[in-house]
Amino acid sequence: MTESNFSKIPQLDYSLVLDSETKPQFILELRHALMHVGFLYLSNTSSVVDEQLVESLKGYIPKLFALPQEEKDKVRMANSPHFLGYSRLGAELTKGKTDYREQFDIATEHVSRWKPGDPDYLNVWGPSQYPDEALIPGFQHTMQTYLSQVTSLGTRIIALIAEALGLPPDGLSRFYDTPDRMQHRGKIVQYPVPNERSESDQGVGPHYDAGFLTILLQASSHPGLQVQNLSGDWIDASPVPGTFVINFGRALEFVTKGIARATSHRVLSPPIGSPSPRYSVPLFHNIALDVRVRDPKYELEFPPEILKLRDERGNLSQTDSINYSEFESQPSGMVQLLGRVRSHPDVAQRHYPVLFKEFFPNGLPTQGIAY
């Protein structure tokens, strides 16, 4: 194994950044994770994300999925041109294959600025749908507060990434709009225990994330998340209590000229016979909808010593995972929209019929799990 490969996920201590004497150590460890792994565990984040809030959210998750099916269906994603809401088991695809998971897509608060005549991608952000408050009292407030705090953590991490790449702390700020014009997307996901007739263990298929940064709460003790190294081996990223899992997306890889690496990953369903489902809560820290990462006005200049480290590492390997190559030519918002269309054809058919026909000329694909 070379230094550019990896066999485990590093763990970084966020509290190091709070002390000027230990912050350089964190920056060095972050640089290594950025360039060689693409994933890390982050511990000791309670200065930004309240630990009791996290535990409270974990307590709500089984109750959320235990709501009556008709109540969950009232907030189904098909209602929303923003691809926010509930998805039944087996309703999402990765590379055309069914993901064996049930989920609620819920984002930070936002009012869509799309109006007739605007590009469709400006409507990919908008208000979330929540279940009836009377059925799960306090959940909406807890989730909104959690998303707000984790978004704040993400913003701090973006500044640290800039420093790790030899830029000033605001070196990546050009890729973000004002806070009122930004939205960051979360999910609450349940990976059920498959039955004996299940033909696949795909919780979610191999893919990269699109944006700069994903912050994942593994909300149960189940393993399942796996990360692909340069040899093509799948490395377990099992839950570590008191941590978030951080990974870097394709947009960050593009704008850093391949210094940062996005890493393919997947989730396996819990083994047959497991006593309970697997739960997770990712937050995708987005960049602005209008950003074209290949536009010269967004080009970044890195110190020679950082570019030398990249060149010594060598080129990143390519996989057949979903890789968001549209960043080469499309604005970020369009990349997001195309990804959502491919993953949720039923929503696209209702709200984006032209794109739906382009990607699914034969109509809706067969989806869902038969019991």
Side-chain angles (χ1 to χ4, degrees):
M1 187 183 74
T2 66
E3 187 185 18
S4 61
N5 210 345
F6 63 91
S7 59
K8 64 179 181 179
I9 311 302
Q11 182 169 323
L12 277 64
D13 182 349
Y14 182 77
S15 68
L16 296 179
V17 308
L18 306 178
D19 186 325
S20 60
E21 292 188 1
T22 55
K23 183 178 177 182
Q25 177 186 341
F26 182 92
I27 294 297
L28 188 63
E29 293 175 358
L30 177 59
R31 181 181 300 148
H32 184 273
L34 275 163
M35 296 187 68
H36 297 288
V37 185
F39 267 74
L40 60 92
Y41 294 103
L42 190 66
S43 64
N44 294 321
T45 57
S46 59
S47 60
V48 186
V49 183
D50 182 79
E51 293 177 348
Q52 291 302 313
L53 175 69
V54 172
E55 293 306 311
S56 178
L57 179 62
K58 288 180 180 179
Y60 274 114
I61 294 174
K63 300 174 186 176
L64 181 66
F65 288 102
L67 290 173
Q69 188 64 51
E70 61 270 20
E71 294 297 331
K72 292 186 285 189
D73 288 340
K74 286 179 182 178
V75 294
R76 63 189 183 276
M77 187 184 286
N79 297 337
S80 169
H82 322 298
F83 295 87
L84 293 169
Y86 169 72
S87 297
R88 280 193 176 211
L89 181 65
E92 186 172 11
L93 305 177
T94 298
K95 292 202 73 174
K97 295 183 178 180
T98 300
D99 293 330
Y100 193 65
R101 61 179 179 174
E102 181 182 7
Q103 63 192 20
F104 290 82
D105 281 62
I106 300 173
T108 56
E109 295 182 71
H110 186 78
V111 177
S112 175
R113 55 189 169 95
W114 179 88
K115 59 184 183 299
D118 284 345
D120 281 347
Y121 69 77
L122 291 181
N123 206 25
V124 78
W125 292 351
S128 298
Q129 302 184 84
Y130 283 91
D132 187 340
E133 174 71 13
L135 297 175
I136 188 165
F139 167 70
Q140 180 171 342
H141 175 73
T142 298
M143 185 63 180
Q144 288 175 338
T145 305
Y146 174 83
L147 292 176
S148 176
Q149 291 188 11
V150 175
T151 295
S152 181
L153 176 63
T155 301
R156 287 167 166 81
I157 295 171
I158 292 296
L160 294 166
I161 289 172
E163 293 186 69
L165 298 174
L167 303 173
D170 64 352
L172 297 174
S173 62
R174 69 188 69 181
F175 299 99
Y176 293 86
D177 212 326
T178 56
D180 61 300
R181 291 166 65 90
M182 291 298 303
Q183 184 172 49
H184 305 283
R185 181 181 295 270
K187 291 176 182 281
I188 300 180
V189 187
Q190 174 176 258
Y191 297 92
V193 180
N195 62 31
E196 298 289 345
R197 291 180 289 169
S198 298
E199 298 179 356
S200 172
D201 63 355
Q202 177 170 302
V204 58
H207 66 285
Y208 297 89
D209 289 346
F212 272 15
L213 187 69
T214 303
I215 303 174
L216 172 70
L217 171 65
Q218 300 197 82
S220 60
S221 60
H222 301 73
L225 175 62
Q226 294 185 324
V227 179
Q228 192 170 28
N229 70 12
L230 295 182
S231 302
D233 299 325
W234 289 102
I235 307 301
D236 288 327
S238 299
V240 175
T243 69
F244 291 102
V245 176
I246 310 293
N247 69 280
F248 313 113
R250 289 287 283 171
L252 187 64
E253 185 177 298
F254 277 121
V255 305
T256 62
K257 305 176 183 179
I259 299 171
R261 65 171 292 179
T263 301
S264 176
H265 52 287
R266 68 183 183 184
V267 178
L268 303 181
S269 298
I272 293 174
S274 297
S276 60
R278 180 182 188 273
Y279 299 118
S280 67
V281 187
L283 178 125
F284 305 96
H285 200 273
N286 289 321
I287 59 175
L289 293 174
D290 293 321
V291 166
R292 292 178 179 267
V293 300
R294 290 304 196 197
D295 189 319
K297 74 178 181 180
Y298 293 110
E299 186 172 2
L300 298 167
E301 296 295 331
F302 297 98
E305 60 269 23
I306 296 295
L307 295 174
K308 182 182 178 182
L309 290 172
R310 177 199 63 185
D311 295 342
E312 290 173 347
R313 178 203 62 198
N315 294 328
L316 300 174
S317 62
Q318 300 298 312
T319 75
D320 62 354
S321 300
I322 293 290
N323 64 16
Y324 298 101
S325 59
E326 296 92 348
F327 275 119
E328 294 281 0
S329 59
Q330 298 289 343
S332 169
M334 192 63 181
V335 178
Q336 292 184 45
L337 177 57
L338 295 177
R340 304 304 285 172
V341 166
R342 283 189 287 255
S343 294
H344 298 279
D346 57 328
V347 184
Q349 183 182 46
R350 182 169 179 178
H351 298 287
Y352 301 96
V354 174
L355 285 174
F356 172 79
K357 289 180 181 179
E358 178 181 341
F359 285 98
F360 302 97
N362 297 321
L364 279 173
T366 301
Q367 292 171 272
I369 307 298
Y371 286 94

